[in-house]
Amino acid sequence: AEDYYHIAHFYHLSFVSGHNHWNYITSRFAKPDVEAAYFTAKFILPVGENQMVRVVYGYGPATVGPCVKSWDYYDVDDLIFRVVQPSSSNPTRLPTSLPTRHPTASPVNVPTKSPTATPTRHPTPFPTNSPTLPPTLPKSFAQYDPFVNAPRCPLFSASCDTGDELISGVGSQSEGGPEPNAPNTIDGCNDSSLSVFQRDESIERIRIKSMDGDIMTVGGEVEVELVVNTAMDTEDRSNADLLSTGILYYASDASDTEWNEMHIFHMEPGSGSKSVTARFILRRGSYNQVIRVVFGYTESRLEACPNGDFFQDVDDLVFAVEDDGFVFPTFSPTLSPTLSPSIRPSNLPSTQPSSSPSNPKTWAAFDSHYNSPRCVDVVTSCDTGDDLIAGVAAQEPNSSNTIDGCEDFSSPS
């Protein structure tokens, strides 16, 4: 039909995982002979943290669904963005189980408007010399979580600990018992099938804790303590004197792991049980973050998943991290410093603050977990830019750029 217009259909999802709940927004039309067309659409955002828009654009009829199956020429792309959630209109009837960790240090100088009807009969003449100390923050022992296939602390806490038994052992061999719930890794990475507990290397305990004693938070320093057993019998190895190697890895998102090497250590075989500590800064990522320990004998470099070569034990620990809005400093200094810095800074605020303060804007990046462009932070705008989804079908980077795999027309002209 030569009189068909080029049409852009706009759809919206208020919850990214709800693929079957698309909401149609509007459609925009352009004549076929127009070289480039610009479309805009406005709508009200509903409640939902991770939301998404989809645009279906091409040559076809005026009515179509969110995933085209009948057009001859079309392109389908998604964009995921975060939305600030409104405060609840239905407050809870019970007090919080996690009261503020920072109560006021100074009493107010205004008396209460509603004093008690009966004053205390025996007031003390002086205030106490030993006021109640702030409550101790919870310490959490991990439990095996079958949904992540690894030990996990699901609640915010000051520490997360596997304890002495949860990951004790290695692989599936006996002689002291196999490792419970082996392999205890979120991606199914296995221990060596050759390893025997109490003869070869094994990881016995993993503990992570905040250095300030507060809940583990983005931007906060943490310390990881490992307890490992060194190899006691290395006679059957090609290099019996080779040191055992351990590597601590960290990923800020347990659902989309990008392993970062945080610490390397070496142990001499036959030295028994040893403790190792390492510190690093928690980065912004997901509520569920994860550390991995790889420990064992190898004749080549240990990777995050050695695939059972030689004698190695691999264990993970998933823990909750609070994000209170911490912003990391930039890794690169500014390229355009001020030419005339102030000699003496003012101790007074500006009398003419900016009427239009700048707001953060974000360029989306491809998210392999959702298979779509995504803006991770809450910002005033989210933009794919000119290159991220440019093209169609095989010519489009990271095609199909849709969370449900809806594909473009496969043979564009």
Side-chain angles (χ1 to χ4, degrees), residues 22 143 152 188 223 277:
W22 290 101
Q143 293 183 328
R152 179 184 176 222
E223 181 178 83
T277 59

Side-chain angles (χ1 to χ4, degrees), residues 169-171 191-192 195-204 228-234 237 242-245 267-270 295-298 310-314:
V170 59
D191 301 339
S192 170
S195 296
V196 175
F197 183 50
Q198 295 180 338
R199 186 192 72 182
D200 301 306
E201 293 89 347
S202 66
I203 303 161
E204 296 301 295
V228 299
N229 281 340
T230 58
M232 302 307 293
D233 182 0
T234 60
R237 300 181 180 182
L242 191 67
L243 296 178
S244 300
T245 299
M267 297 286 181
E268 186 174 348
F295 179 59
Y297 164 90
T298 181
F310 297 101
F311 302 89
Q312 293 110 22
D313 190 9
V314 185

Side-chain angles (χ1 to χ4, degrees), residues 162-193:
T162 63
D164 295 325
E165 300 178 354
L166 195 58
I167 59 171
S168 179
V170 59
S172 58
Q173 301 284 350
S174 56
E175 296 189 26
E179 179 178 298
N181 303 303
N184 283 304
T185 55
I186 60 176
D187 56 1
C189 182
N190 289 309
D191 301 339
S192 170
S193 60

Side-chain angles (χ1 to χ4, degrees), residues 361-374:
K361 298 180 181 180
T362 291
W363 296 103
F366 178 74
D367 189 319
S368 58
H369 178 73
Y370 292 104
N371 196 44
S372 302
R374 181 186 179 208

Side-chain angles (χ1 to χ4, degrees), residues 7 57 80 94 100 115 146 203 205-206 263 274 285 362 402:
I7 308 173
Y57 176 68
I80 301 171
L94 299 175
T100 177
I203 303 161
R205 185 172 184 172
I206 304 175
H263 183 67
K274 292 290 185 179
T362 291
T402 56

Side-chain angles (χ1 to χ4, degrees), residues 326-366:
F326 178 86
V327 178
F328 281 91
T330 58
F331 290 106
S332 303
T334 178
L335 298 177
S336 302
T338 179
L339 298 177
S340 302
S342 173
I343 299 176
R344 181 177 300 170
S346 171
N347 58 2
L348 298 175
S350 173
T351 58
Q352 295 181 336
S354 173
S355 58
S356 301
S358 60
N359 289 310
K361 298 180 181 180
T362 291
W363 296 103
F366 178 74

Side-chain angles (χ1 to χ4, degrees), residues 23-178:
N23 296 301
Y24 170 74
I25 301 173
T26 189
S27 297
R28 296 290 184 263
F29 300 84
K31 293 182 179 181
D33 57 353
V34 176
E35 181 177 351
Y38 297 88
F39 304 114
T40 61
K42 295 181 180 180
F43 63 98
I44 303 299
L45 290 174
V47 174
E49 182 177 5
N50 285 303
Q51 304 194 25
M52 189 184 73
V53 289
R54 166 170 291 182
V55 178
V56 180
Y57 176 68
Y59 171 81
T63 302
V64 69
C67 188
V68 183
K69 300 295 183 183
S70 57
W71 287 9
D72 291 330
Y73 305 94
Y74 57 85
D75 189 9
V76 185
D77 292 309
D78 296 342
L79 177 61
I80 301 171
F81 55 94
R82 285 187 63 190
V83 177
V84 174
Q85 300 305 295
S87 58
S88 174
S89 59
N90 297 308
T92 59
R93 291 174 294 176
L94 299 175
T96 178
S97 58
L98 294 173
T100 177
R101 303 190 303 275
H102 305 289
T104 179
S106 304
V108 297
N109 56 7
V110 180
T112 179
K113 295 180 180 180
S114 303
T116 57
T118 305
T120 180
R121 294 181 179 180
H122 302 288
T124 58
F126 302 101
T128 179
N129 292 324
S130 302
T132 303
L133 297 175
T136 302
L137 290 173
K139 296 179 181 179
S140 183
F141 281 92
Q143 293 183 328
Y144 178 75
D145 188 330
F147 292 100
V148 298
N149 299 315
R152 179 184 176 222
C153 294
L155 302 178
F156 294 133
S157 60
S159 64
C160 182
D161 191 346
T162 63
D164 295 325
E165 300 178 354
L166 195 58
I167 59 171
S168 179
V170 59
S172 58
Q173 301 284 350
S174 56
E175 296 189 26

